[in-house]
Amino acid sequence: VADPQADSDGSTPRWVKVAAIVAAVVVVLIAVVIVTGRHEPSRHGTSGGAAPGAHAR
Amino acid sequence: MTMSPRLRRLVLTAHVTSSVGWLGAVLAFVGLAIVGLTSHDARTTRGVYLVMEPAAWYVLVPLAVASLVTGVVQGICTAWGLVRHYWVVFKLAITLVATVVLLVYMETFGVIADVAADPTADLEEVRNASPLLHALAAMVLLLAATALAIYKPRGLTHYGRRATRRDLA
């Protein structure tokens, strides 16, 4: 019995290509945020917050 | 590897419960984070950021790990497989990424709680949008994973196509 999820032409479905592109864009954006040093808890603060590490454990 | 129908239903129940429970807990964190950013009461604001870390350890982390483990068991022990279908691959990737980010973020929860516990810290210093941003991102990811599990969009991976041909031979 053939797999009902199988594609008739065996090609990669369009939703997979779209999802992969979206995922790649998100990964690149996150990488840019991390590399540029904008990804720290205090940076998200509404008032700028404490200096990074000021309250480190 | 196969499971008896009874065991398969038990693992599936655990997977659905932990996955949906994880999403619900994340929604609760979205609510907590909004309260932390908007409350005018200092004790409430500090309390929100103090409770996030233990709540995450006792609720988010166990549910995330349970969702990941039961999902992998479901994939390995059923005909769906782990890498046969694109929707399973994407759902596994989402769960894995969300779990790893959560575990890494636990340190941030600790730093935020330390600021909230510091009586010399100004209330505006205590307020932090980071938990809200991360909870919203987690919510989007987990909603996508839930939709994948329900709709199961068609599409076999290259491995899945080879495995299907092998099974038919």
Side-chain angles (χ1 to χ4, degrees), chain B residues 15 22 64 67-68 90-100 142 145:
Chain B
H15 181 60
W22 185 13
S67 174
L68 180 61
F90 274 85
K91 188 167 176 287
L92 176 63
I94 288 172
T95 307
L96 192 59
V97 167
T99 302
V100 169
L142 296 180

Side-chain angles (χ1 to χ4, degrees), chain B residues 14-90:
Chain B
H15 181 60
V16 172
T17 305
S18 56
S19 301
V20 176
W22 185 13
L23 176 58
V26 166
L27 289 173
F29 266 73
V30 170
L32 274 178
I34 291 173
V35 170
L37 288 175
T38 59
S39 174
H40 297 296
D41 183 67
R43 283 186 304 177
T44 301
T45 302
R46 289 180 188 276
V48 161
Y49 293 109
L50 284 171
V51 83
M52 280 182 175
E53 187 190 18
W57 276 123
Y58 286 114
V59 181
L60 289 183
V61 171
L63 286 173
V65 172
S67 174
L68 180 61
V69 170
T70 54
V72 169
V73 171
Q74 279 284 115
I76 291 173
C77 298
T78 67
W80 288 108
L82 272 182
V83 289
R84 279 189 171 209
H85 300 266
Y86 281 114
W87 75 265
V88 178
V89 173
F90 274 85

Side-chain angles (χ1 to χ4, degrees), chain A residues 4-49:
Chain A
Q5 289 249 321
D7 300 301
S8 54
D9 60 352
S11 61
T12 304
R14 187 190 298 174
W15 76 266
V16 174
K17 294 173 184 170
V18 172
I21 291 170
V22 170
V25 169
V26 170
V27 167
V28 169
L29 286 176
I30 291 172
V32 167
V33 169
I34 291 173
V35 168
T36 55
R38 293 178 185 171
H39 189 263
E40 293 161 7
S42 61
R43 293 277 187 169
H44 296 302
T46 51
S47 63

